[in-house]
Amino acid sequence: MIKLYHVTPEGDPLHGSREAAKAAIALRETGADFEIENMNRVKDMRPVDGHYKTKINPMGTVPALDHDGFMLLESAAIMNYVAELFPDSGLLPDTAQGRGKARQWVMWEGTCYCLALCNLCMLHPVKDVDAPAFEAIYPFRPDANHEKELELAYEQFAHRHGVLENNLKGNDYVANNSYSIGDIALGAHVALAGLLDFDLRPFPNICDWMKRLEQRPAWQQEGVFTGDMQMIRDKNLI
Amino acid sequence: MLKLYHVLVDDDPLGGSREAEKVAIALSEIGADYEIIDLNRARDMRPADSEYRKSINHMATVPTLDNDGFLLRESGAILNYLMELFPDSGLVPTDIQERARAMEWVFWEGTCYCLFLLNLCYLHPFKALDPDPFDAIMPYRGGDQEADLKRAYQSIGMLFQHLNAELEGVDYIANNRYSVGDIALGAHIALAGVLDIDLKPYPNVSAWLTRLAARPAWQKEPVFMADWAVIKAKGLL
């Protein structure tokens, strides 16, 4: 039995976990039978002596995957594991070079893109919604030139989207022009554009690609993603 | 032919690239035949019209691996690719769950640990050596720098504590077996010297890093050896 520890949108100040959404989408794409265990950030994940930190994940993050007692952390490792577990899912290409390219984008998202995203989250009012989560990552407060810094963070964020936009030129998907865990890693976070008031319209390839992902049943079944897409549409950012 | 684009220690303000170091160590461990192309950050990587940016890596980062014309970026993806290319290297467990455990640490290092590490780099005088890469990553500056630096040390201390607990009673980070997980972590943990992080409160981390430093593949990597020398010179082990 596969169990995924997730934070679903209802009642969560950040409207759910995008990292766990990646794992949930990957699992749905495989058609695997799995169960979602919904966590509350404040009550379940943060207390140092809570069941979650002591028994499931000492880092207190989601996702965590429990596959018949085998516990795995880190969304990228989980997606990779799920793709290897279900090789017919097509979540990873069948050549080493193809897999290399798919993982390159998973890593780029987790390291380079996410850094710009976290910077922006820290400065954007979204941070006020759940300050402890961001303060754990950024131990310092940008109290000088807040406005200028937010502007710079948007510039950085736009630069990352420029990279993605170029990469999607003439391609339906981020790696090998074939749907993979690279698309899942990126799509789940790009959908934060709504919450972060980031206009996607200057990036038409990204807009088309997001609409392509949105058509997939595995994405339509993910509440965190559909909530984010709703906000993108409500704010007219796509 | 495998070619690795790297930044070596000599005259690099940051003392070389630790991301590229990871790949170099993995290649040595594998015993693969490869060649290192040593780049200069200012001359080769940053200019928008440089040959490196135009033809090899438009993101202007290292490492880039060139395998007979197939170009791959991102150290984590390259490590994974090398594992697949050389399945007998022993760097990668054949069991799917053990492999996932090794990759879990590669990703934890790349996403979680690195975020805290970059915060500290940004605030530490280290940054003054070469502000460009840090300004590109962290576009804003904190107010009370001294208090911020103190908090950055506290935050990264939590991660060292976590790592120390995970290394309790084992020699290596994943499955108690040397793997790419150790390579990804060790290369960046070795920055402790440059960043003045005392490893003595984390004896398991200290012993583990000493274990890695004893391996010929690590001893052949100049970026690691320079970091290792600083750790020892400052008495941080």
Side-chain angles (χ1 to χ4, degrees), chain A residues 73 84 101 108 119 137 156, chain B residues 59 71 99 104 119 136:
Chain A
L73 310 177
E84 289 195 4
K101 286 287 181 198
W108 181 76
N119 270 337
I137 300 172
Q156 289 282 317
Chain B
M59 310 277 284
L71 294 169
R99 198 160 60 233
E104 179 186 73
N119 269 335

Side-chain angles (χ1 to χ4, degrees), chain A residues 99-121:
Chain A
R99 284 191 293 276
K101 286 287 181 198
R103 288 174 181 139
Q104 171 183 283
W105 288 99
V106 171
M107 287 309 293
W108 181 76
E109 194 282 322
T111 54
C112 187
Y113 180 86
C114 242
L115 207 56
L117 176 70
C118 284
N119 270 337
L120 182 57
C121 287

Side-chain angles (χ1 to χ4, degrees), chain A residues 19 25-26 35 38 54 59 70 85 89 91 93 96 137 170 182-183 186 199 209-212 227:
Chain A
E19 292 294 354
I25 291 168
E35 157 187 325
N38 190 20
T54 54
M59 296 293 297
F70 170 68
L85 208 55
S89 64
L91 286 176
I137 300 172
D183 298 286
L186 276 159
D199 195 355
W209 164 75
M210 287 298 279
K211 288 174 188 164
R212 214 167 284 131

